[in-house]
Amino acid sequence: MLLIKNVRLFAPEDRGMQDILIFGEKILAVNHGIDPVLSGLSSLGEVEVWDAGGRRAVPGLIDQHVHVTGGGGESSFSSRVPEIQLSSILRAGVTTVVGVLGTDSRTRSVQNLVAKTKALQEEGVTAFCLTGAYEHPSPTITGSVGDDIVFIREVLGVKIAISDHRCSQLTREELTRLAAEVRIAGLLSGKPGVVHLHTGRSGQGLSLIFDVLQSSPIPIRHFRPTHCCNCPEDALRFASLGGLIDFTSDDEPLPVARQIAKALEEAPEGHVTLSSDSNGSMPKWGPGQELIGITAAKMTSLYKTVLCLHRECGVGFSEAVSLCTQNTARALDLYPRKGCIAPGSDADILLLDDALQIDGVIARGRVMMREKELLAKGRYED
């Protein structure tokens, strides 16, 4: 057992000074002044006590768009981004990831994606993934998007690309059939049945999704457009209809933070989420859609954007943190197991210093970072 004493708890709502008792991978109790001796807990085994000295405690971040096997490839083979490492995830304060493929589903595969997802789970964080990639028909393991979702534990839904010069230029009928298959698979497997839509900058925005919603009875909750900075007006319209919209963090966070702040003012509460696109390529395109530069996204941009929202855009700290904790957990049907600090929840906790920088990381009850010292790394990390 681990008892964390004297934290200012943001669960993610501000609950003032509290203690947190962890047993195995779960939070056993949250209260002020927990005493393991007086409560009889010491009879169950040794209790390690960590005095947090007034640090803030927030839920571990959930990043629902991570190229865990690496992305890229738009500038030939040498531009393939490497697989993400456990240390990069922990330094970013992320304790739950959802892996995705991107443009490249030729030299990367869903098999590779699922294997990497399982590896991250073994290394101590919580990991899920999505079948599919940019193209249609979607690459899968079983030969069927629905079967991947039903029979592969880690798979929560499918990824597809729209409104992008690199996508398969889906028709309304094709997206309708894909979403219908994902919906049924989600119902059969008890999963959210996510159709995660990379939304590019071609100018079509979310028009294809609106067409599907108008012509079919498929509930809006299954459609999850991401990179919503590329179509902010469409995103706000989609949210007003009850949809969930996902923004992508940035290493230079102020422009995206301003768009998110506007969305938070206009969208229904809880309908805005944030993800990093980490380890995906970030190509720069010229006027003729020719490649003129390429870099890779970093997971550290996730919390950097949260802080920018709070400090530069006036968004309350709890609300800013909720974008990649509570809101995302609810969107993935993981709440209250994930996304909050409460009895019965997974023990995924970040401790923040006075400057709100990540000072400690606990994932599934295991201390991964303490006083900014990384205590866990992946199997082959130096």
Side-chain angles (χ1 to χ4, degrees):
M1 286 184 288
L2 173 63
L3 176 59
I4 308 174
K5 293 191 69 67
N6 302 318
V7 298
R8 183 180 173 189
L9 179 61
F10 287 81
E13 68 281 359
D14 188 352
R15 292 189 53 194
M17 296 302 296
Q18 300 284 338
D19 299 340
I20 305 169
L21 181 65
I22 297 169
F23 185 82
E25 295 190 2
K26 295 288 185 179
I27 295 171
L28 186 61
V30 177
N31 213 329
H32 182 69
I34 296 175
D35 187 318
V37 176
L38 292 177
S39 59
L41 293 168
S42 57
S43 64
L44 300 177
E46 184 178 351
V47 181
E48 178 187 354
V49 179
W50 179 354
D51 190 339
R55 291 176 177 84
R56 294 193 188 197
V58 302
L61 307 185
I62 304 169
D63 196 341
Q64 66 174 334
H65 189 117
V66 184
H67 293 270
V68 294
T69 59
E74 291 101 332
S75 188
S76 194
F77 297 104
S78 61
S79 68
R80 296 168 78 250
V81 183
E83 289 190 358
I84 198 165
Q85 295 182 316
L86 179 65
S87 60
S88 298
I89 295 172
L90 298 175
R91 287 192 179 98
V94 171
T95 56
T96 300
V97 299
V98 180
V100 297
L101 294 179
T103 314
D104 180 12
S105 57
R106 308 291 175 165
T107 73
R108 324 267 185 177
S109 68
V110 181
Q111 288 89 337
N112 183 206
L113 175 63
V114 171
K116 178 65 175 180
T117 302
K118 290 177 182 290
L120 291 171
Q121 182 76 20
E122 289 179 2
E123 289 177 338
V125 295
T126 302
F128 301 98
C129 62
L130 304 176
T131 194
Y134 270 34
E135 65 185 322
H136 181 78
S138 299
T140 65
I141 290 180
T142 65
S144 159
V145 166
D147 284 352
D148 276 12
I149 295 168
V150 171
F151 294 112
I152 302 174
R153 185 197 67 82
E154 292 81 7
V155 177
L156 301 180
V158 70
K159 178 182 176 180
I160 197 75
I162 61 172
S163 193
D164 195 296
H165 62 94
R166 297 164 294 174
C167 75
S168 295
Q169 312 306 323
L170 280 172
T171 65
R172 181 184 69 188
E173 291 75 16
E174 287 170 334
L175 181 56
T176 302
R177 283 193 292 270
L178 178 64
E181 181 179 6
V182 171
R183 169 171 164 73
I184 292 298
L187 292 173
L188 294 174
S189 58
K191 295 177 180 177
V194 170
V195 182
H196 188 77
L197 297 125
H198 162 99
T199 307
R201 301 175 179 174
S202 71
Q204 297 166 313
L206 304 183
S207 59
L208 181 60
I209 306 177
F210 293 134
D211 286 347
V212 173
L213 291 172
Q214 289 175 354
S215 62
S216 80
I218 298 171
I220 194 172
R221 66 177 179 273
H222 293 286
F223 298 95
R224 307 291 175 84
T226 188
H227 312 319
C228 283
C229 278
N230 293 337
C231 55
E233 296 306 316
D234 274 8
L236 288 175
R237 178 188 168 197
F238 185 76
S240 73
L241 297 173
L244 292 157
I245 54 176
D246 187 61
F247 289 83
T248 305
S249 59
D250 196 282
D251 220 33
E252 298 294 333
L254 188 55
V256 66
R258 286 172 172 160
Q259 287 202 28
I260 295 170
K262 183 176 187 297
L264 289 172
E265 291 177 354
E266 300 186 25
E269 183 178 358
H271 283 241
V272 181
T273 61
L274 180 68
S275 60
S276 75
D277 203 7
S278 172
N279 279 53
S281 66
M282 299 179 67
K284 185 177 180 180
W285 304 101
Q289 304 296 6
E290 73 278 10
L291 187 72
I292 58 177
I294 190 168
T295 58
K298 299 177 181 178
M299 189 175 279
T300 49
S301 70
L302 191 67
Y303 186 62
K304 186 180 290 187
T305 302
V306 168
L307 283 185
C308 185
L309 271 167
H310 175 54
R311 289 172 167 167
E312 304 297 330
C313 300
V315 175
F317 184 70
S318 293
E319 186 176 16
V321 169
S322 292
L323 296 177
C324 44
T325 57
Q326 181 174 266
N327 292 7
T328 306
R330 290 186 186 276
L332 298 176
D333 288 353
L334 296 175
Y335 188 87
R337 174 190 164 195
K338 301 288 185 183
C340 63
I341 298 176
S345 299
D346 285 358
D348 297 335
I349 301 168
L350 306 184
L351 295 181
L352 311 176
D353 63 18
D354 291 342
L356 299 185
Q357 298 302 309
I358 297 168
D359 186 69
V361 177
I362 299 168
R364 290 163 46 197
R366 178 183 170 193
V367 179
M368 301 291 206
M369 178 191 292
R370 186 163 180 168
E371 295 180 356
K372 296 186 173 60
E373 179 185 356
L374 199 62
L375 304 178
K377 292 184 178 181
R379 183 181 292 267
Y380 295 110
E381 294 191 63
D382 294 333

